[in-house]
Amino acid sequence: MATATPRRFVTLDVFTDRALAGNPLAVVLDAEGLDSNQMQAIAREFNLSESVFVVKPTDEFNRARLRIFTINHELPFAGHPTVGAAVLLATLDKVSTSTDFVVEEGVGPVPCHVTVKGPRFGNATFAVPRLPEILEEEPMTVEACAQALGLDKSDIGFDGYTPVVASAGVPFVCIPLASRSALARISPSAGRLIATFGGAADSVYVFCRDEDGEGDLRARMFAANMGIDEDPATGSAAASLAAVLMAGEKPDDGFHAFDILQGVEMGRPSLVRLGLEVAGGALIGVTIGGGAVIVSEGTIHI
């Protein structure tokens, strides 16, 4: 048997300011020498929605290259791995206040700003490397969306919003819901989701206005094709939603912030901060931000 190499790993809870909330993430440090199959197997071993592997950047001026895996395949870009890895890298660099650096992902270079709040907690905001766009208007009927989610037709849509497919590197079926009650009543099955949406996108992102005023929007995300029953917080989906909000809200020029609460229904409350920069009536920039807390550290031998 070949000698195994000890490799550090850290787990964090992301898009939260406290442990045991938000979206769990595993980050494998010292990942040099691992091939894609090994990374995929390790991600499956962690059995989290995503795991990150930190390797040397292709550009020496960048902080690191991040390879992101679900339990089934590699992703070109994802939000909560970017936030969590950025906070971890800043703490490893012994940053006492704040720092800026670039990480490389499959979708391109991602500029990050990190504020360190303590030895195990910080906030990170990153610029989405690819502007989101709506790929397909009304990819399926309201009836089909309602049936797939276990809802009534009247639960689908609000303020002129209708189902669309949007992407900032990873496509999502974005479905507007009329109320928080409808959001709470979703009862999807993996079979129904795959049968209805599998041809349009791997993931379904449902959202509504936050009637309680705790945030601006509430959301849930399901990705049956990726082996994710429900995701507590999805930065890449929020990035895709920026294109939807741009079309629906028609914001004026300037910066606009939206707080999105997710994961509440599954007991993992999360807060994703979405920023839209608008100039000349067009979307010119999108940011995703949130907190991350280091929960555990260890070593794997691969």
Side-chain angles (χ1 to χ4, degrees), residues 75-115:
L75 294 175
F77 161 70
H80 102 273
T82 304
V83 168
V87 168
L88 175 59
L89 291 172
T91 61
L92 292 175
D93 292 342
K94 307 298 183 184
V95 173
S96 58
T97 54
S98 64
T99 186
D100 294 275
F101 52 69
V102 174
V103 295
E104 300 171 0
E105 298 186 18
V107 75
V110 182
C112 301
H113 176 76
V114 184
T115 302

Side-chain angles (χ1 to χ4, degrees), residues 250-263:
K250 297 178 174 59
D252 295 332
D253 288 0
F255 181 79
H256 302 269
F258 296 86
D259 282 353
I260 304 173
L261 296 173
Q262 190 179 335

